[in-house]
Amino acid sequence: MSSPSASTTSTVNDKQNKPSYASSSSKSPSIKDDAPDTEANILPDTSDQPQSDVEKADPVAKPAFAGFDPSSFPDGGLQAWLYWRFPGLLSDASVEQLLPEYRFMDPIFDRFLHGPIWGKLYDNHGPAGLLAVGSFLHVFGLMMASLCTDYYQFLLAQGVCSPIGASMIFYPAMSSTGTWFFKRRALAFGIMAAGSSLGGVILPIMVDHVIDQAGFPWAMRSAAFLLLALLVYANLTVRSRLPPSPKPWSLMEFIFPFQELPFLLVVSASFLFFFGMFLPFNYIILSAEYHGMSQRLAAYLVPILNAVSIFGRTIPGYIADKSGRFNTMIATSILSALLVLCLWLPARGNIPYILFAAFFGFSSGAFVSLAPALVAQISDIRQIGLRTGSMFAVISVAALCGNPIGGALVSREGGAYWGLQVFCGVMMAVGSVAFVGARWSLVGWKVVKV
């Protein structure tokens, strides 16, 4: 590297030969430096390779296209916050909440499986088309569910049409958020993801009351009209700050991100953590009743989980932007595993179950907001749709397999839940270790912000 007295030309040439990793700070060091602090979007030193990530590239070495320079991200202001994705993600909660007794496929799997396809379409064409088609399919599926009488009709309406629409809403909303925020990206993702938690509290209560007063068909129509209003707002406001970058479809484009060690470890950690994450949501009521809680009180445990998860998806996001997103993810993941093994597993009685529902709702909520923030931190922002979609497609398999495995463990133990609880805690603990490995692949064992 040139000395301070070297000419400007020499300095530029040196920087071109060895790229640094830009961040929101003007003094962002390479990971090989002994600096006490580091910012987001850090990858291992690749001095002998061309810098392909424009979000991390040195603006002196290679001028960034307008909109890709980290310093150009608004990170706030009326326009950036106007495009937050709260309504779109609120509608996203309805698939798994409105008809729990008619589940034809795991709703998380159904939503995440199509991620690479919708993500690629988002990167190529932007969010508008996906949102419009997804809104129609989602609302149309719910309206048709209000007319269904046979199994195959429910299968088509709720098992195919509505969840595909919700998936097409989810990915543009999430990916667009990353284009508006850099320094405050984890917080923005947290506010966006909090919408589904709020939907998980409001929609079941609303549907239950409407069913009692007007019957099932009008309950479905009422929910569909509510979501239609919210989706109209989402279609008018959700925009990507960056123009689309159309590229031909290629199978290798979906495989290539997994050749990067940080991305592979983040996806692997998320996959392992996801195996256990939703087991408490699906089995806490049954396990509480097994240990003596009344049906009436147990019915409030999942709403408690969802309500506290609103804060779990926002507060850790704010902390992550200050102390490091990988650091915060590791801390909250370990906390989730400890809560399962040290509080849910030995819980006997009402108070321990209520405390576990509240604490786990907070700690597990952090994963939902931080996982896409981690992918955005180590990715080219122009490929954010494809890469986040690929991650969610992989972890959808864990969501699909986790619940049947948990149920099989309960049956094996004659109705006892300790096997399921141990499986849940261990899988999340192993996932936490993999997150530590992902952090190590970026900065080693240095105590820095990352």
Side-chain angles (χ1 to χ4, degrees), residues 255-321:
I255 300 174
F256 179 75
F258 294 94
Q259 297 177 352
E260 301 173 11
L261 182 60
F263 183 83
L264 177 62
L265 289 173
V266 167
V267 173
S268 300
S270 301
F271 176 84
L272 294 167
F273 190 84
F274 228 63
F275 253 112
M277 177 178 157
F278 280 100
L279 290 178
F281 286 84
N282 293 323
Y283 287 96
I284 189 172
I285 293 178
L286 297 174
S287 65
E289 293 176 354
Y290 177 83
H291 289 115
M293 182 178 286
S294 68
Q295 263 189 334
R296 179 168 183 159
L297 182 58
Y300 287 96
L301 292 176
V302 172
I304 290 173
L305 272 166
N306 282 320
V308 179
S309 182
I310 296 173
F311 303 99
R313 298 183 184 199
T314 51
I315 296 175
Y318 175 81
I319 296 173
D321 288 329

Side-chain angles (χ1 to χ4, degrees), residues 229-252:
L230 295 172
L231 288 169
V232 167
Y233 173 85
N235 276 267
L236 293 175
T237 59
V238 174
R239 297 289 183 273
S240 173
R241 190 179 63 88
L242 307 179
S245 53
K247 294 181 181 178
W249 289 71
S250 169
L251 180 61
M252 288 305 299

Side-chain angles (χ1 to χ4, degrees), residues 4-55:
S5 60
S7 66
T8 302
T9 301
S10 176
T11 301
V12 171
N13 290 335
D14 287 340
K15 288 184 178 181
Q16 289 174 334
N17 293 330
K18 183 176 182 180
S20 61
Y21 299 94
S23 71
S24 56
S25 170
S26 61
K27 298 181 179 181
S28 176
S30 168
I31 61 170
K32 293 185 177 180
D33 293 339
D34 294 326
D37 190 24
T38 184
E39 286 288 349
N41 288 68
I42 295 183
L43 287 175
D45 190 16
T46 55
S47 57
D48 58 342
Q49 301 176 11
Q51 178 57 267
S52 61
D53 188 340
V54 293
E55 194 175 0

Side-chain angles (χ1 to χ4, degrees), residues 198-224:
L198 183 59
V201 175
I202 294 175
L203 289 173
I205 297 173
M206 184 193 83
V207 169
D208 285 343
H209 282 76
V210 178
I211 287 177
D212 292 339
Q213 298 179 18
F216 173 80
W218 273 108
M220 292 298 99
R221 292 168 198 150
S222 299

Side-chain angles (χ1 to χ4, degrees), residues 45-403:
D45 190 16
T46 55
S47 57
D48 58 342
Q49 301 176 11
Q51 178 57 267
S52 61
D53 188 340
V54 293
E55 194 175 0
K56 296 185 287 291
D58 192 324
V60 177
K62 185 177 181 180
F65 294 103
F68 298 135
D69 188 340
S71 64
S72 70
F73 283 72
D75 272 310
L78 177 62
Q79 189 178 31
W81 288 115
L82 176 65
Y83 294 145
W84 62 322
R85 276 22 108 181
F86 202 95
L89 272 291
L90 175 61
S91 68
D92 183 61
S94 64
V95 173
E96 65 265 30
Q97 297 293 345
L98 296 183
L99 293 169
E101 69 274 25
Y102 287 102
R103 288 189 176 181
F104 307 100
M105 186 178 292
D106 186 281
I108 304 299
F109 174 79
D110 223 9
R111 183 197 311 166
F112 290 168
L113 177 65
H114 313 96
I117 299 173
W118 308 144
K120 176 63 176 176
L121 287 173
Y122 167 85
D123 290 336
N124 278 4
H125 305 290
L130 282 169
L131 276 173
V133 176
S135 298
F136 170 79
L137 291 176
H138 192 26
V139 174
F140 181 76
L142 292 176
M143 289 290 190
M144 291 300 101
S146 70
L147 304 176
C148 293
T149 56
D150 296 327
Y151 180 88
Y152 80 92
Q153 295 171 341
F154 280 105
L155 176 62
L156 292 174
Q158 198 208 349
V160 178
C161 182
S162 189
I164 288 178
S167 179
M168 296 177 75
I169 296 167
F170 175 77
Y171 286 103
M174 177 182 59
S175 300
S176 297
T177 301
T179 67
W180 290 95
F181 295 89
F182 186 80
K183 296 179 184 178
R184 304 167 73 180
R185 185 176 284 161
L187 174 61
F189 277 125
I191 294 175
M192 175 202 72
S196 59
S197 291
L198 183 59
V201 175
I202 294 175
L203 289 173
I205 297 173
M206 184 193 83
V207 169
D208 285 343
H209 282 76
V210 178
I211 287 177
D212 292 339
Q213 298 179 18
F216 173 80
W218 273 108
M220 292 298 99
R221 292 168 198 150
S222 299
F225 280 123
L226 171 62
L227 300 180
L228 176 61
L230 295 172
L231 288 169
V232 167
Y233 173 85
N235 276 267
L236 293 175
T237 59
V238 174
R239 297 289 183 273
S240 173
R241 190 179 63 88
L242 307 179
S245 53
K247 294 181 181 178
W249 289 71
S250 169
L251 180 61
M252 288 305 299
E253 190 175 17
F254 296 91
I255 300 174
F256 179 75
F258 294 94
Q259 297 177 352
E260 301 173 11
L261 182 60
F263 183 83
L264 177 62
L265 289 173
V266 167
V267 173
S268 300
S270 301
F271 176 84
L272 294 167
F273 190 84
F274 228 63
F275 253 112
M277 177 178 157
F278 280 100
L279 290 178
F281 286 84
N282 293 323
Y283 287 96
I284 189 172
I285 293 178
L286 297 174
S287 65
E289 293 176 354
Y290 177 83
H291 289 115
M293 182 178 286
S294 68
Q295 263 189 334
R296 179 168 183 159
L297 182 58
Y300 287 96
L301 292 176
V302 172
I304 290 173
L305 272 166
N306 282 320
V308 179
S309 182
I310 296 173
F311 303 99
R313 298 183 184 199
T314 51
I315 296 175
Y318 175 81
I319 296 173
D321 288 329
K322 302 293 183 181
S323 60
R325 293 153 197 160
F326 278 88
N327 298 339
T328 307
M329 176 67 96
I330 291 169
T332 55
S333 299
I334 293 174
L335 176 59
S336 295
L338 289 175
L339 286 171
V340 170
L341 296 174
C342 300
L343 184 55
W344 190 26
L345 179 60
R348 302 292 185 273
N350 295 345
I351 294 178
Y353 267 95
I354 294 172
L355 290 175
F356 171 75
F359 291 144
F360 186 79
F362 183 88
S363 63
S364 63
F367 174 86
V368 180
S369 60
L370 292 179
L374 296 188
V375 173
Q377 179 167 327
I378 58 176
S379 302
D380 183 340
I381 197 65
R382 295 170 297 180
Q383 297 178 336
I384 189 68
L386 184 146
R387 292 169 74 98
T388 53
S390 297
M391 180 196 72
F392 280 111
V394 170
I395 66 177
S396 70
V397 178
L400 179 66
C401 299
N403 287 329

